[in-house]
Amino acid sequence: MPIKPPIDNAKLDRIVAEARRNAEQRELGYRERALKMYPWICGRCAREFTRANLQELTVHHRNHDHDFNPADGSNWELLCVYCHDNEHSRHIDHVRGGVMAVEEAPPATGNPFADLKAMMERGRK
């Protein structure tokens, strides 16, 4: 059995730290560009953001490739952390072959707004 060389933990720590720094730099670059390019609104739930809660607005890569960042922003959309998490969960389910896919719901048969006009007019009287 061949003898394995000892693991250089310091070298591994440097490699991991450098990879994290590089990822953070990439993220800052496209995040800043996306925040300048798009309104601060979640593309799914339409929640609006201000400087006070901007940290909860993320940049989602439509094709799930974080290294594909065209200057026109065509691979990005701004999503709140909740919608972003949901989107990635849906993608993981899709990649796994729909293992956790939900059956299609039956079509809606009722119309909740059918009598809306009459209800509004009654409220005015």
Side-chain angles (χ1 to χ4, degrees), residues 55-111:
Q55 72 275 6
E56 297 176 18
L57 187 62
T58 64
V59 179
H60 172 64
H61 288 80
R62 295 172 194 255
N63 71 353
H64 299 276
D65 180 357
H66 291 193
D67 293 320
F68 181 60
N69 295 301
D72 66 354
S74 58
N75 191 35
W76 307 327
E77 67 179 325
L78 297 179
L79 299 178
C80 71
V81 292
Y82 307 107
C83 292
H84 197 181
D85 185 48
N86 179 267
E87 179 62 30
H88 279 274
S89 295
R90 290 176 51 225
H91 178 70
I92 290 168
D93 291 346
H94 174 73
V95 169
R96 288 183 181 163
V99 173
M100 302 186 83
V102 178
E103 290 183 27
E104 189 173 321
T109 56
N111 182 353

